[in-house]
Amino acid sequence: MQLLQTILALVLTLGILVTIHEYGHFLVARRCGVKVLRFSVGFGNPVYSWYDRHGTEFAIALIPLGGYVKMLDEREGPVPEELRDQAFTSKSPGQRIAIASAGPIANFLFAIAAYWLLGVVGFNALAPIVGEVEQDSVAGRLGLESGMEVTEVDGRRVSSWQDINMRLLERAGEHGSVSMTVIDDGLSRQLQASLNGWQLDDEAPLPLSQFGVSPWRPAVPAVIDQVLEDGRAALAGLRPGDEVTAVDGEPVAGWYELVKVIRGAPEQTLELSVLRDGQLMLVAITPAEQVQDSGETIGYVGAGVQPVDWPESMLREVGYNPLAAIPYAIERTWADTRLTLVAIKKMVTGLLSPKNLSGPITIARVAEQSVSSGFEDFIRFLAYLSVSLGVLNLLPIPVLDGGHIVFYTIEAIRRKPVSEQVQALGLRIGMVMILSLMVFALYNDLMRL
């Protein structure tokens, strides 16, 4: 069932983004007078197709990992004389540049629309108030302390931990200094420290924890609220309402400490001191082994915590009127664009490990998690992935839209097309590069299983 949900989430995510991207090409091609033969979502044989009044075939194909717009093109076969003016190759370099760039531009516009929708609908964000700080870390050297609220990172305003995550991702692998503006006891202060080549973990990049800081969270008593049927907690006799006060005679301060102990003891028998209906009892439990996406093996017992309410002071309600949401959406889209460009640059220069490159398996898992988390997370994930798709397609690599734009720009400057031999060589090189990246990304995915 989990696998089916993951596959459906991947198909839904790619289906939306591919349709948006290809519709950009399709719409501008039509505006430029190019005859579109086929608009396909997916590759391979069509599962379902239909034709519009212009004779364009719209198809949903068998392999849902991309899509394409097929246009009338003299390079792909003879074109009847009466249709020659509708061929892609008959259009000016400027028109061909517009058609090639329309797909990525559609991705950026979709991201702006998605963030605009989030801004208008509104959402709650966790205030960036510091919880625990590891002293032997960048956060410790910076001087962050529990209770401080971060308002700026490197002079750029932040209003949530997600904003801080984005800023830290941009600084990974650098040797300069990082600065944070914080509110401490009602006063604004600026903190600064050297990054010293601070790096993200190759297998599981978690900017906040690897920076050495965790968000503030309310005290959560170790009271069990849910017990999964056939899980180790149920087999040990634990029930909803039980409060765990100690493990192997050592007191536990709350739920998070209990989780830490259990995660660190796969297939090891633990003795829990449990308070039930005012009576203290001992329960032996052996956490099962569970392998995380990162490859780490942890202990798991199949029990959920009794929820606690977050203080209103720790939440920030974010919402805009339809007009004010426009600059918010543009700012968020630019932040995603900047992050993608910085990540590409750092992978090329070696400041960021190529192991962070992800393929369809990772995308599928994140898509499934975002769908399960709710509307807000899914829309935000779609927006970020759409921006990434737009940026990657604009890279000046033959085969990609950016490579075609380079050829057409050279043609416009020279007033004659780039030779077919050069284009063919570029396409072969581009194909090798893209296939190599795809294979490497898939390898990274498999290593995370």
Side-chain angles (χ1 to χ4, degrees), residues 14 50 79 85 90 93 97 110 191 193 202 240 242 273 301 312 324 329 333 344 399 423 445:
L14 292 184
W50 68 97
V79 174
D85 65 332
S90 71
I97 290 172
F110 172 78
L191 309 175
D202 289 346
D242 287 349
S273 299
V301 298
E312 290 187 9
T333 301
I344 293 172
V399 176
Q423 290 193 50
D445 283 353

Side-chain angles (χ1 to χ4, degrees), residues 327-340:
Y328 162 77
I330 293 173
E331 179 187 353
R332 295 298 310 179
T333 301
W334 168 243
D336 288 352
T337 304
R338 176 187 171 90
L339 176 61
T340 304

Side-chain angles (χ1 to χ4, degrees), residues 195-208:
L195 286 167
N196 290 338
W198 168 70
Q199 288 280 2
L200 297 176
D201 187 276
D202 289 346
E203 303 298 331
L206 301 170
L208 283 179

Side-chain angles (χ1 to χ4, degrees), residues 220-228 232-247 252 254-255 258 262 272-285 301-307:
V220 180
V223 177
I224 295 173
D225 184 59
Q226 297 174 333
V227 178
L228 296 183
R232 295 292 175 89
L235 293 175
L238 291 175
R239 304 176 188 172
D242 287 349
E243 180 177 1
V244 180
T245 60
V247 178
V252 292
W255 179 261
L258 174 62
I262 289 175
L272 307 184
S273 299
V274 177
L275 191 62
R276 178 185 297 170
D277 298 328
Q279 300 295 318
L280 192 63
M281 55 188 297
L282 298 178
V283 175
I285 190 170
V301 298
V305 65
Q306 189 174 76

Side-chain angles (χ1 to χ4, degrees), residues 129-135 139 145-147 212-217 256:
I129 296 175
V130 176
E132 297 181 4
V133 178
E134 296 178 20
Q135 294 308 308
E145 296 178 359
S146 179
V213 62
S214 61
W216 181 93
R217 53 194 178 191
Y256 299 116

Side-chain angles (χ1 to χ4, degrees), residues 164-172 198 200 207 339 342 346:
I164 297 175
N165 251 325
M166 299 281 280
R167 302 291 179 265
L168 294 181
L169 280 169
E170 292 182 15
R171 301 303 309 275
W198 168 70
L200 297 176
L339 176 61
V342 169
K346 289 186 175 182

Side-chain angles (χ1 to χ4, degrees), residues 134-412:
E134 296 178 20
Q135 294 308 308
D136 187 22
S137 68
V138 181
R141 296 198 304 271
L142 194 63
L144 286 178
E145 296 178 359
S146 179
M148 291 181 173
E149 179 172 0
V150 182
T151 58
E152 292 182 357
V153 176
D154 293 330
R156 297 163 64 188
R157 183 177 58 85
V158 294
S159 58
S160 67
W161 283 110
Q162 184 190 19
D163 291 343
I164 297 175
N165 251 325
M166 299 281 280
R167 302 291 179 265
L168 294 181
L169 280 169
E170 292 182 15
R171 301 303 309 275
E174 297 183 10
H175 286 269
S177 62
V178 61
S179 67
M180 288 189 178
T181 302
V182 300
I183 296 177
D184 185 20
D185 290 332
L187 299 176
S188 180
R189 298 170 49 198
Q190 188 174 70
L191 309 175
Q192 189 166 327
S194 173
L195 286 167
N196 290 338
W198 168 70
Q199 288 280 2
L200 297 176
D201 187 276
D202 289 346
E203 303 298 331
L206 301 170
L208 283 179
S209 62
Q210 287 151 18
F211 192 77
V213 62
S214 61
W216 181 93
R217 53 194 178 191
V220 180
V223 177
I224 295 173
D225 184 59
Q226 297 174 333
V227 178
L228 296 183
E229 189 176 344
D230 296 331
R232 295 292 175 89
L235 293 175
L238 291 175
R239 304 176 188 172
D242 287 349
E243 180 177 1
V244 180
T245 60
V247 178
D248 291 336
E250 294 293 326
V252 292
W255 179 261
Y256 299 116
E257 187 175 341
L258 174 62
V259 169
K260 184 177 180 180
V261 173
I262 289 175
R263 284 172 63 97
E267 297 301 338
Q268 299 177 32
T269 301
L270 303 173
E271 186 179 68
L272 307 184
S273 299
V274 177
L275 191 62
R276 178 185 297 170
D277 298 328
Q279 300 295 318
L280 192 63
M281 55 188 297
L282 298 178
V283 175
I285 190 170
T286 304
E289 284 189 351
Q290 186 179 74
V291 180
Q292 302 289 88
D293 291 345
S294 62
E296 178 188 9
T297 299
I298 64 169
Y300 177 76
V301 298
V305 65
Q306 189 174 76
V308 297
D309 293 328
W310 282 77
E312 290 187 9
S313 61
M314 295 298 172
L315 300 175
R316 298 289 182 268
E317 188 173 341
V318 181
Y320 303 88
N321 64 51
L323 193 60
I326 296 174
Y328 162 77
I330 293 173
E331 179 187 353
R332 295 298 310 179
T333 301
W334 168 243
D336 288 352
T337 304
R338 176 187 171 90
L339 176 61
T340 304
L341 290 170
V342 169
I344 293 172
K345 175 186 174 183
K346 289 186 175 182
M347 284 189 189
V348 171
T349 58
L351 291 177
L352 192 62
S353 172
K355 290 183 179 180
N356 290 299
L357 189 66
S358 298
I361 296 176
T362 299
I363 292 173
R365 287 187 169 185
V366 176
E368 193 275 330
Q369 291 170 3
S370 63
V371 170
S372 301
S373 298
F375 172 80
E376 177 192 329
D377 286 340
F378 184 56
I379 293 298
R380 185 176 282 115
F381 173 68
L382 277 178
Y384 178 71
L385 201 57
S386 188
V387 168
S388 298
L389 184 62
V391 171
L392 292 175
N393 267 282
L394 284 175
L395 294 178
I397 300 174
V399 176
L400 298 180
D401 295 326
H404 294 305
I405 292 170
V406 170
F407 285 142
Y408 304 147
T409 301
I410 294 173
E411 179 181 345

